[in-house]
Amino acid sequence: MSAPAGRARRVLAATAAAVAGALAVGMAVAAPSTAEPGPTLGQLAAAKGRYFGSATDNPTLNNAPYTAVLGSEFNQITVGNTQKWQYTEPSRGQFDYSQADRIVAFAQAHNQIVRGHTLAWHNQLPGWVNDVPAGELLGVMRNHIANVAGHYKGKVVHWDVVNEAFEEDGTRRQSVFQQKIGDSYIAEAFKAARAADPNAKLYYNDYNVEGIGAKSDAMYNMVKSFKQQGIPIDGVGLQAHLILGQVPSTVRQNIKRFADLGVDVAITELDIRMRTPRDATKDAQQAADYRTVTNACLAVTRCVGITVWDFSDGYSWIPSVFPGEGAALIFDENFNKKPSYWAVYEALGGTRVTTTTTTTTGGTGTGCTATYRVTSQWGGGFQGEVSIRNNDTTALNGWTVQWTFAQGQALANLWNGVATTNGQDITVRNASYNGTIDAVGTTTFGFIGSFSGSNPVPSPITCTRA
Ligand code: G3I
């Protein structure tokens, strides 16, 4: 989507509406502003004993607007490409960690834990691996894992030890490892990883295993048998490259059955793609889908965290692999937060504190400014607060604040003011005791409201002095 972000557009639209309204009634109106302070996704997840992270790749580390978000919003990073075999052992026995080291250093500088990705995968292998004689490949794989996991010992909290080893029907993918080493290669990879870094949590990672089905059943049976045999596996990664409106209904149940086997579960590569361009309906569905996935993870104690497969629609792998699809992430191309971001934010327990401010002149003087905030929100209800600032250097005597609840919100109870409702239009006048506001002073009223669906901050909100 090349247009400005949704929030930017809403602000622009609100500004235009406010200005048009002001012109109609001969008032001076300042542009509404939004402020969205509050915790990051990483902080919210940490408060729930989890992480919320993003994958990243080396080219984007030179992009300052990108790294500003990457470094602040998340408490976990996955190395999206450059720990793969192609980069770390481009020639047999020649190891190169220069690129992945940059990502790990970035994470360490920003107090972010690192998921390593990935030690044994059929994809992004250098050509020489295919030419290794069958009798040598187990040794080559063990050596690769010993070196790479050894290099990152103590720096990587989780390793995706083996990636994408199953076909959709639950049979083994005929990778070079499967063909030349046989079924045992997965267990051997886990043993080698444990030996190289005994403290890293070792994961099997795959896609299309988010719900219950043939492929996740195969993964389940493998984990069960590994646990019975004492093969060192600590977790399973559900990649979660999902499609709009198609979150499997059994995600939570699936996470739970793995947890019940005694392994951790992580959502490792979350994105939810749509046909582009975005629109409000698709954004709302995507927000609901992100909320479903987040809630499914939160419902199971052993679901330890969620990683998005990069965070901005401008840096997603989707459009290059699925032409005509994209917009799969939680920030748009310009690093504006999308509805999907706020869905995750709220699912993680965050309260979206938004404000809108309008200055109106009325009566004499320079007028007053009303600032509307949602101070807390819960299922179907919220508490709001409006502060009224007298902008003049003389006291004002009497004020009126007005807004429209365009999304069908309703006022339940209001204090420190007298409310009149006319359909969705709300008018609040001062109470008998707070109509006088000193020069450049402030007064506040509060209220409880209800809503269904979304609860955006109304805009414009006008303040008129008597
Ligand atoms: O680095 C080269 C660059 O020098 C060259 O100019 C450019 C030209 O195409 O290619 C660059 O390499 C690309 C690499 O990403 C880095 O951007 C490869 O072509 C491209 O194939 C590679 O794609 C990666 C893909 O894995 C490979 O299968 C994606 O970035 C990466 O996001 C994706 O990640 C995988 C996970 O590892 C496993 N699960 C699925 C997920 C999505 O496919």
Side-chain angles (χ1 to χ4, degrees):
M1 181 175 181
S2 58
R7 185 159 66 85
R9 275 201 313 278
R10 282 199 303 280
V11 170
L12 290 174
T15 305
V19 170
L23 291 175
V25 296
M27 298 186 297
V29 178
S33 64
T34 57
E36 292 159 333
T40 64
L41 297 183
Q43 289 166 340
L44 290 169
K48 295 198 174 287
R50 291 168 167 87
Y51 61 79
F52 195 96
S54 176
T56 193
D57 200 0
N58 287 67
T60 44
L61 291 186
N62 299 322
N63 177 337
Y66 174 94
T67 53
V69 180
L70 182 70
S72 62
E73 189 66 51
F74 307 101
N75 60 345
Q76 179 272 327
I77 281 184
T78 299
V79 184
N81 265 311
T82 49
Q83 278 174 331
K84 293 170 183 170
W85 200 312
Q86 162 184 44
Y87 296 93
T88 50
E89 195 180 355
S91 311
R92 186 168 174 172
Q94 303 292 309
F95 292 90
D96 181 354
Y97 306 113
S98 54
Q99 296 207 62
D101 281 356
R102 280 194 66 208
I103 295 179
V104 172
F106 180 95
Q108 289 177 332
H110 295 85
N111 293 319
Q112 296 160 314
I113 60 170
V114 177
R115 295 194 89 253
H117 175 82
T118 172
L119 295 170
W121 187 31
H122 66 279
N123 211 344
Q124 284 175 289
L125 280 176
W128 66 264
V129 175
N130 290 311
D131 301 330
V132 174
E136 294 177 30
L137 190 57
L138 177 57
V140 164
M141 186 188 77
R142 285 176 173 152
N143 185 53
H144 180 80
I145 293 173
N147 275 276
V148 178
H151 178 80
Y152 289 105
K153 184 177 178 180
K155 297 179 176 173
V156 162
V157 173
H158 297 175
W159 264 114
D160 287 332
V161 177
V162 175
N163 198 37
E164 303 174 3
F166 290 104
E167 299 285 1
E168 297 304 299
D169 64 1
T171 60
R172 285 289 187 93
R173 182 191 294 277
Q174 293 303 308
S175 68
V176 66
F177 303 110
Q178 179 70 31
Q179 288 183 336
K180 293 190 178 177
I181 302 172
D183 279 350
S184 64
Y185 91 88
I186 300 181
E188 292 299 334
F190 276 85
K191 288 192 259 181
R194 179 68 97 224
D197 186 353
N199 293 323
K201 298 283 188 193
L202 306 182
Y203 278 67
Y204 175 79
N205 191 51
D206 215 326
Y207 63 90
N208 285 352
V209 290
E210 295 72 30
I212 292 177
K215 194 170 182 181
S216 65
D217 284 350
M219 187 168 89
Y220 180 88
N221 291 332
M222 180 187 75
V223 172
K224 190 173 177 187
S225 105
F226 278 15
K227 294 297 279 184
Q228 283 164 353
Q229 296 172 64
I231 307 296
I233 187 167
D234 301 305
V236 290
L238 315 182
Q239 293 185 6
H241 294 293
L242 301 174
I243 298 170
L244 190 74
Q246 296 183 29
V247 179
S249 59
T250 50
V251 175
R252 181 187 295 206
Q253 194 186 339
N254 193 37
I255 293 173
K256 174 86 168 54
R257 71 171 174 157
F258 281 101
D260 289 345
L261 280 181
V263 291
D264 292 339
V265 181
I267 308 293
T268 52
E269 306 186 12
L270 179 61
D271 47 31
I272 303 178
R273 61 185 184 268
M274 61 175 72
R275 300 292 310 175
T276 48
R278 289 166 61 193
D279 61 30
T281 306
K282 294 177 196 173
D283 275 5
Q285 179 65 55
Q286 188 182 53
D289 292 345
Y290 268 92
R291 182 178 291 113
T292 299
V293 174
T294 307
N295 284 336
C297 181
L298 291 174
V300 181
T301 309
R302 289 199 82 138
C303 185
V304 297
I306 299 174
T307 308
V308 283
W309 203 244
D310 232 309
F311 61 87
S312 158
D313 289 342
Y315 301 87
S316 167
W317 68 292
I318 298 283
S320 64
V321 176
F322 299 98
E325 297 182 63
L329 294 166
I330 57 174
F331 286 78
D332 73 7
E333 293 88 340
N334 301 315
F335 308 111
N336 295 298
K337 294 166 181 170
K338 294 167 57 182
S340 49
Y341 173 95
W342 291 111
V344 173
Y345 186 89
E346 290 178 354
L348 290 174
T351 298
R352 187 177 180 186
V353 178
T354 48
T355 64
T356 186
T357 305
T358 305
T359 305
T360 310
T361 55
T364 58
T366 52
C368 51
T369 299
T371 301
Y372 178 114
R373 294 186 180 84
V374 175
T375 54
S376 61
Q377 189 166 297
W378 53 92
F382 69 103
Q383 183 166 332
E385 178 189 276
V386 174
S387 65
I388 301 117
R389 180 179 187 272
N390 175 14
N391 299 323
D392 208 347
T393 50
T394 58
L396 72 73
N397 291 296
W399 47 263
T400 303
V401 172
Q402 292 176 291
W403 72 86
T404 300
F405 273 141
Q407 294 298 318
Q409 302 101 316
L411 212 51
N413 177 31
L414 184 140
W415 53 94
N416 293 343
V418 179
T420 316
T421 57
N422 178 13
Q424 294 175 304
D425 297 333
I426 311 293
T427 301
V428 181
R429 295 195 170 79
N430 57 272
S432 57
Y433 50 85
N434 65 357
T436 300
I437 308 178
D438 292 341
V440 209
T442 301
T443 193
T444 301
F445 66 85
F447 55 93
I448 301 292
S450 61
F451 71 100
S452 62
S454 65
N455 181 31
V457 168
S459 184
I461 175 168
T462 61
C463 178
T464 310
R465 52 184 289 158

